[in-house]
Amino acid sequence: MTNILAVGNWKMNPVKKKDAENLAKDIKKVAQKYKKVTAVLCPPAPYADVVGGALGRVKNLALGAQDMSWQEKGSRTGHVSPLMLKDLGATYAIIGHSELRELGETDEVINKKIRTALLYGITPIVCIGERERDENGFYLGVIHKQIESALQGVLKKDFSSIIFAYEPIWAIGKSARDAMTPHDLYEMSLYIKKTIAGLSSKTIAMNMRVLYGGSVEGENAGALFEGGDVNGFLIGHASIVPSEFESVLENMTAALKRLEKKE
Ligand code: PGA
């Protein structure tokens, strides 16, 4: 397995530039010990510059954004342009996070952002996920629709540049015990890949990366990575505590070793 990611979504933390810089430096030290995993740090937009500077040029570290405009410049109050992100050296952007969907971001806007990101060579990390699970499996339809609309108008050759982050809303911001089980995650990874295959081909679907997000901590990272058939994680609260982030990286690396042995 290649291209394994631990994406840190710092959300609206920390609230001081110096703290953001120090957090980036601490995470840099930690991430350099686990070279098989690429750590992508997504700080709040005002700190992207200082965090990018602190990270420097290390192979398994990258800068990302928590959101991105679908326009490159102009009258868009509060938006962050892909050109600004590129200028700061950001190579990833989280798109369609449930916290933004909740504020009214539509599938259509998310699709525009994905296509813009691809145009500017920024890897979109597209969040999908159901609010709740029902016995009839209607939640699968929610996921299907989100994937279908995310990929609308995207050239099939570009599919592999998109990363889907499966983040069930009910599992976000809790603790490892409330997160998904590896078995349920495995089934969902399969469903996501099947859906993509239906829109393209099996080969394309198999080459796409799927992450899991929602209360990933050191405690559950190993089992979810080993049994969930994912290429890594989108990590919220555990990504702003260096020791917890290290525990995630350590457990992912150990799980990867076990998976490699099985191959
Ligand atoms: P969490 O957040 O890890 O704190 O659940 C994940 C996310 O919202 O991206």
Side-chain angles (χ1 to χ4, degrees):
M1 197 187 270
T2 52
N3 280 321
I4 297 154
L5 298 176
V7 182
N9 177 9
W10 291 9
K11 306 194 180 184
M12 206 163 64
N13 305 289
V15 292
K16 283 204 174 121
K17 186 166 98 174
K18 197 72 207 157
D19 292 344
E21 188 178 9
N22 288 337
L23 180 55
K25 282 182 183 161
D26 287 348
I27 293 200
K28 179 178 177 176
K29 264 187 232 147
V30 162
Q32 282 175 301
K33 294 195 234 165
Y34 305 94
K35 293 225 184 309
K36 292 205 164 166
V37 182
T38 297
V40 182
L41 309 195
C42 304
Y47 302 147
D49 197 15
V50 75
V51 167
L55 295 183
R57 284 177 185 272
V58 177
K59 219 174 160 213
N60 70 323
L61 274 167
L63 179 67
Q66 296 178 15
D67 186 26
M68 193 201 83
S69 180
W70 70 91
Q71 286 198 330
E72 65 248 10
K73 60 179 175 176
S75 308
R76 291 284 166 203
T77 305
H79 285 206
V80 176
S81 157
L83 295 176
M84 297 170 187
L85 295 178
K86 281 201 82 102
D87 190 35
L88 296 179
T91 45
Y92 294 83
I94 298 171
I95 289 175
H97 192 278
S98 59
E99 285 156 14
L100 287 176
R101 287 183 188 259
E102 211 168 86
L103 295 176
E105 184 160 271
T106 61
D107 280 340
E108 196 190 351
V109 167
I110 290 164
N111 172 255
K112 277 195 203 173
K113 289 183 176 181
I114 294 167
R115 290 198 281 167
T116 303
L118 292 172
L119 198 66
Y120 288 99
I122 291 172
T123 303
I125 300 169
V126 184
C127 299
I128 53 173
E130 76 280 1
R131 181 163 297 284
E132 58 193 9
R133 290 207 159 190
D134 57 290
E135 279 177 14
N136 299 320
F138 289 132
Y139 66 93
L140 292 173
V142 172
I143 303 301
H144 193 284
K145 186 172 166 281
Q146 288 176 340
I147 294 174
E148 199 173 39
S149 98
L151 296 174
Q152 188 92 39
V154 176
L155 296 176
K156 292 198 175 63
K157 72 168 181 54
D158 290 335
F159 276 26
S160 62
S161 305
I162 298 174
I163 298 172
F164 278 105
Y166 171 61
E167 294 209 306
I169 299 171
W170 51 266
I172 292 177
K174 296 185 177 159
S175 70
R177 252 152 264 158
D178 304 300
M180 281 215 112
T181 63
H183 176 262
D184 285 353
L185 179 57
Y186 179 81
E187 285 196 333
M188 190 42 102
S189 305
L190 212 63
Y191 180 76
I192 291 169
K193 292 202 171 138
K194 254 189 177 170
T195 304
I196 298 167
L199 299 165
S200 55
S201 71
K202 206 174 161 194
T203 318
I204 290 176
M206 287 307 155
N207 281 327
M208 281 187 74
R209 284 173 287 172
V210 176
L211 310 180
Y212 167 73
S215 302
V216 174
E217 296 176 348
E219 189 183 323
N220 58 354
L224 284 169
F225 191 73
E226 192 173 355
D229 191 26
V230 286
N231 302 81
F233 301 119
L234 178 51
I235 307 148
H237 61 271
S239 72
I240 51 171
V241 181
S243 58
E244 192 62 36
F245 194 67
E246 167 152 24
S247 172
V248 171
L249 295 178
E250 190 183 352
N251 285 302
M252 283 175 83
T253 304
L256 180 66
K257 262 198 199 141
R258 292 195 292 274
L259 285 172
E260 282 172 348
K261 255 195 195 155
K262 279 188 209 162
E263 268 175 13

